[in-house]
Amino acid sequence: MKHILGSGWQVKPAGGATGEAYIAQYGEEKIFLKRNSSPFLAVLSAEGIVPKLLWTKRLENGDVITAQNWLNGRELKAAEMNQQLVAKLLSKIHRSQELLSMLRRIGKQPLTPEAVLEELFHRTQQNNQYLKEIEPYLDYLSTHIDEVQTDQFVVCHGDVNHNNWLISEQNRLFLIDWDGAMIADPALDLAMLLYWYVPDEEWDQWLRSYGIPLTHSLKIRMHWYIVAQTIESIYWHCERGQEEQAKYWMNYLVQLDKQIYH
């Protein structure tokens, strides 16, 4: 990374799962670098959803390096996810025609419930741990697939974990780490955010800030997606030998039984 910036810059890894992100500093100046970031980072930057994109450089080996303004701020805490600020930014993302057009231009196809279920069955064939426990939930997803059909497809982030929400010292909110972006039912993002962070009794109020009512259809779709996402989390941790985390999500899946909407 140093040869891209020139002499005098100090570069260190920024952490994260991919190991592709870096922090570069020259005196008081600080920037965030990433290798092969999402190709629609420029649109996200223009929309004010991520910190400002400064430049993009393609290397001889084909890798693309992006540089963004360093954000003086912090990650949101789990308890802060029920704020209006979060609802309004997610609403802006889901309503953005610019983001949707960009994802379509780079070849993204809408993620259907059938594709989600097919991927889970594929993972099941590769990983039979917890198979007996998970089978009834796969049956639930199959049985209710007709109830979650929608013609409303938007840009979804896919991982609205509180660690991906950054708030600046000026109280500006950003959503980062767009590598898993997809075109999907907005219920996919809403399910994760509401089930993980917002008490049931506050869903209606939170969704009013987001801009839609809490309908019976939305409840069904969100529940379907949170079950699917939880099964995916179990497999993800099993595949990496992370038994404790897999067990945590298995217990969470059992708890979801109490909230099934028909």
Side-chain angles (χ1 to χ4, degrees):
M1 283 290 177
K2 285 186 181 179
H3 69 279
I4 300 168
L5 297 167
S7 61
W9 285 88
Q10 298 298 313
V11 180
K12 61 180 183 180
T18 62
E20 299 285 355
Y22 305 86
I23 299 162
Q25 190 160 3
Y26 184 90
E28 294 299 307
E29 191 180 353
K30 209 172 180 183
I31 57 176
F32 177 78
L33 301 174
K34 195 163 185 185
R35 190 190 303 272
N36 298 330
S37 192
S38 170
F40 75 135
L41 192 64
V43 184
L44 291 164
S45 171
E47 294 263 302
I49 293 161
V50 299
K52 187 180 177 184
L53 179 65
L54 301 172
W55 47 258
T56 301
K57 289 183 182 175
R58 184 175 291 277
L59 305 183
E60 287 179 7
N61 65 0
D63 284 353
V64 175
I65 306 297
T66 53
Q68 288 171 270
N69 263 350
W70 177 258
L71 181 72
N72 287 318
R74 61 175 178 82
E75 296 173 355
L76 277 193
K77 298 181 176 70
E80 297 174 305
M81 291 291 287
N82 62 353
Q83 293 180 8
Q84 271 195 17
L85 213 55
V86 174
K88 289 186 183 303
L89 182 54
L90 191 61
S91 176
K92 176 182 177 177
I93 291 162
H94 285 172
R95 285 172 170 74
S96 171
Q97 288 305 306
E98 287 80 4
L99 290 180
L100 188 57
S101 296
M102 183 61 190
L103 271 195
R104 283 181 171 147
R105 281 204 300 277
I106 62 174
K108 290 276 188 182
Q109 296 297 315
L111 180 70
T112 62
E114 287 81 5
V116 171
L117 193 54
E118 188 181 333
E119 174 61 20
L120 288 178
F121 279 127
H122 176 67
R123 298 283 282 278
T124 301
Q125 290 166 1
Q126 296 179 317
N127 191 325
N128 55 20
Q129 202 173 350
Y130 292 113
L131 183 57
K132 261 188 184 167
E133 295 93 331
I134 286 173
E135 247 174 349
Y137 299 96
L138 290 171
D139 288 344
Y140 160 77
L141 294 176
S142 299
T143 305
H144 293 272
I145 200 162
D146 288 341
E147 298 171 46
V148 294
Q149 301 300 329
T150 182
D151 57 2
Q152 184 190 9
F153 289 104
V154 304
V155 169
C156 284
H157 180 274
D159 184 12
V160 290
N161 188 295
H162 70 96
N163 296 317
N164 286 328
W165 297 81
L166 302 181
I167 192 156
S168 73
E169 291 172 345
Q170 291 75 38
N171 213 39
R172 278 198 66 193
L173 187 64
F174 299 93
L175 180 57
I176 62 164
D177 197 359
W178 282 86
D179 294 342
M182 64 191 85
I183 299 173
D185 183 344
L188 184 144
D189 276 346
L190 291 169
M192 186 186 291
L193 200 151
L194 291 177
Y195 272 89
W196 287 7
Y197 299 115
V198 183
D200 291 17
E201 62 274 14
E202 294 176 23
W203 283 11
D204 190 56
Q205 183 183 342
W206 193 96
L207 285 166
R208 278 204 298 271
S209 296
Y210 170 87
I212 61 170
L214 178 59
T215 62
H216 182 63
S217 166
L218 181 58
K219 285 181 181 178
I220 291 170
R221 283 154 47 218
M222 286 198 301
H223 193 270
W224 195 94
Y225 278 106
I226 197 65
V227 169
Q229 287 166 336
T230 305
I231 294 171
E232 199 278 332
S233 293
I234 294 166
Y235 288 150
W236 194 90
H237 289 296
C238 283
E239 287 158 9
R240 286 156 181 78
Q242 298 169 348
E243 183 59 34
E244 281 304 307
Q245 291 95 323
K247 195 179 294 182
Y248 170 87
W249 288 112
M250 189 63 235
N251 290 336
Y252 185 78
L253 189 60
V254 172
Q255 290 303 309
L256 287 174
D257 244 356
K258 300 170 184 175
Q259 296 171 290
I260 287 181
Y261 296 101
H262 297 289

